[in-house]
Amino acid sequence: MKNILTQFSRLFVGVLFIISGLIKLNDPVGFSYKLAEYFSEPVFNMPFLEPLALGLAIFLVILEVVLGVMLLVGYKSKLTIWALLLLIVFFTFLTFYSAYFDVVKDCGCFGDALHLTPWQSFTKDVVLLFFILILFINKKLVKPLFSKMVTNILTLLSIVLCVFMAVWVLNHNPIKDFRPYKVGTNIEKGMEIPEGAPKSVVEMIFIYKVNGVDKEFTEKDLMNIPEGATFVDRKDKVITEGFVPPIHDFTMTKDDSDYKAELLQEPKLVIFVTYDLALSNPEGMKKLAKVAADAKAKGYKVIGMTASGAEEIAKAKKQYGLNVDFYFCDATALKTVERANPSIVVLHKGTIVQKVHYNDVDDLKLSDVAYGI
């Protein structure tokens, strides 16, 4: 019975680690954004680690996959199980912290393929911790499945393949796009809220300074605010989360007006997506002027979308010869649209028909006629 439970734990933990790791390895940039969120001031206040987020993300997801493989084939089982235990204790702490303090809404355990609430993520890690503890207690029962040479080759092969996959997706688009803005998505439909969908219940919290100390008051407490208290701020506390459409923060703003409704009706629209012009890849930016000229010659409207300010926009347009209008959109939304900075997105009446990394400009297909979608 003990051996059966141990081997089941081995299979369950190994497969889950491989699946979870591969999903994140498919989009390590997205996972790095999640790590940067943990490092940010409102969470762990470790901003000095934010520049290292991508490197750490790649290391962790490769480690996750390789440990899963090592466990399944039985490579150095004691070392593998110790590493799994330390890793799951670390992740369990992170998910508990996120859930208890309500600071990170989605741990990114399965990337954009499967969104878990903080408490669901914590529960998943507790279950994994339980099975890893079984493996830890019964380490001697975790034997190699193959000869030492075959086991070594399989472990080394998993490392090489993971590194290759990481390099590939960093220089191109994710192999499988799980994001709300994948090809074939109509942005307007992605923003729709179905009739009868549950609405969020929000409580307004008012902050007043009372005797030099900030205190919170709900609407029903406003009549009891002490005399002499001064208003500081107001915030909304979500009591119950309602339906949130897959696309909910997409804007195309210019001169304080949102042109989204108009631009999403364009039959042939090319968008240069660069969430931060100051951080955009210079070689990638140099390619955009030619793309714009080719697209305009084929009847496309060409625009840029960024979260950068007017000064950065003017600087980029002059530096790279970009004769296009830029529209503002939140950086988080643009990072979700595309990971590369810059990247190219082609739309037909609001439907995404192609997305191209700046390294794959030659793969861009610009039709001389309108798309028949």
Side-chain angles (χ1 to χ4, degrees):
M1 182 64 184
K2 182 191 293 185
N3 186 55
I4 292 174
L5 184 58
T6 301
Q7 299 312 319
F8 172 80
S9 301
R10 175 183 187 174
L11 182 63
F12 177 77
V13 173
V15 170
L16 196 60
F17 262 71
I18 291 172
I19 292 173
S20 173
L22 285 176
I23 289 173
K24 292 194 288 288
L25 187 57
N26 174 66
D27 184 15
V29 175
F31 185 52
S32 74
Y33 293 153
K34 190 58 59 179
L35 288 183
E37 190 177 350
Y38 277 107
F39 298 147
S40 65
E41 185 177 346
V43 187
F44 289 121
N45 194 21
M46 303 168 71
F48 61 91
L49 287 177
E50 290 185 37
L52 304 176
L54 181 57
L56 286 171
I58 294 171
F59 171 76
L60 285 173
V61 296
I62 290 178
L63 179 64
E64 197 172 351
V65 175
V66 173
L67 284 176
V69 172
M70 289 168 62
L71 179 64
L72 291 180
V73 302
Y75 178 84
K76 295 187 181 298
S77 58
K78 290 184 180 179
L79 173 66
T80 300
I81 293 170
W82 263 109
L84 286 168
L85 182 61
L86 293 174
L87 198 60
I88 198 59
V89 167
F90 172 68
F91 283 137
T92 303
F93 165 73
L94 284 185
T95 52
F96 172 76
Y97 190 94
S98 298
Y100 186 80
F101 293 101
D102 194 28
V103 286
V104 179
K105 302 299 181 183
D106 179 5
C107 73
C109 303
F110 295 98
D112 287 298
L114 177 63
H115 293 282
L116 301 177
T117 66
W119 284 115
Q120 287 173 337
S121 298
F122 173 67
T123 302
K124 181 264 300 177
D125 286 342
V126 169
V127 171
L128 273 172
L129 178 60
F130 170 76
F131 285 109
I132 291 174
L133 285 173
I134 291 175
L135 293 170
F136 185 79
I137 294 169
N138 302 294
K139 290 192 290 288
K140 292 182 180 179
L141 297 177
V142 182
K143 306 289 186 182
L145 293 182
F146 311 102
S147 67
K148 185 175 180 180
M149 178 181 292
V150 173
T151 302
N152 290 345
I153 290 173
L154 289 174
T155 301
L156 180 61
L157 185 61
S158 69
I159 296 172
V160 172
L161 290 176
C162 283
V163 172
F164 175 79
M165 182 175 175
V167 172
W168 174 267
V169 296
L170 285 175
N171 288 282
H172 305 277
N173 282 332
I175 297 170
K176 175 68 175 177
D177 193 351
F178 294 104
R179 289 164 290 169
Y181 297 90
K182 59 181 175 290
V183 171
T185 298
N186 183 277
I187 295 176
E188 286 186 306
K189 289 183 178 178
M191 293 187 289
E192 291 177 354
I193 298 178
E195 188 176 347
K199 296 181 179 180
S200 298
V201 177
V202 180
E203 181 181 43
M204 289 188 293
I205 303 296
F206 298 87
I207 303 173
Y208 279 81
K209 190 175 290 293
V210 181
N211 297 325
V213 179
D214 288 352
K215 291 191 175 182
E216 296 184 352
F217 298 87
T218 62
E219 285 185 274
K220 62 182 181 181
D221 296 329
L222 291 179
M223 299 299 294
N224 300 321
I225 295 177
E227 187 176 345
T230 56
F231 175 78
V232 176
D233 196 7
R234 197 210 88 184
K235 61 181 182 180
D236 294 333
K237 180 181 179 181
V238 179
I239 306 299
T240 304
E241 187 77 69
F243 175 83
V244 179
I247 300 174
H248 55 273
D249 51 3
F250 185 84
T251 62
M252 303 175 92
T253 307
K254 188 173 183 290
D255 300 326
D256 298 323
S257 296
D258 194 347
Y259 293 87
K260 178 168 68 254
E262 174 186 331
L263 290 170
L264 292 182
Q265 294 305 311
E266 287 285 342
K268 301 172 75 173
L269 180 67
V270 169
I271 304 175
F272 298 149
V273 178
T274 168
Y275 72 90
D276 189 334
L277 286 163
L279 299 177
S280 60
N281 181 277
E283 293 304 314
M285 293 296 292
K286 290 176 183 177
K287 300 176 182 179
L288 299 185
K290 184 179 183 305
V291 173
D294 291 344
K296 289 178 180 179
K298 294 182 178 181
Y300 284 81
K301 183 177 181 66
V302 183
I303 66 170
M305 289 186 66
T306 184
S308 298
E311 187 175 333
E312 281 294 338
I313 291 173
K315 180 181 176 182
K317 290 175 71 171
K318 181 179 180 181
Q319 182 177 355
Y320 300 109
L322 292 175
N323 185 25
V324 300
D325 290 329
F326 275 83
Y327 294 80
F328 176 85
C329 184
D330 180 73
T332 301
L334 293 179
K335 288 177 181 180
T336 307
V337 174
E338 265 293 70
R339 301 308 193 199
N341 185 22
S343 59
I344 303 165
V345 179
V346 183
L347 270 67
H348 167 75
K349 294 187 176 181
T351 297
I352 299 171
V353 295
Q354 193 176 7
K355 297 167 70 175
V356 175
H357 189 286
Y358 61 78
N359 283 331
D360 299 319
V361 167
D362 292 340
D363 295 334
L364 187 65
K365 298 173 183 177
L366 298 175
S367 174
D368 288 310
V369 296
Y371 294 97
I373 297 178

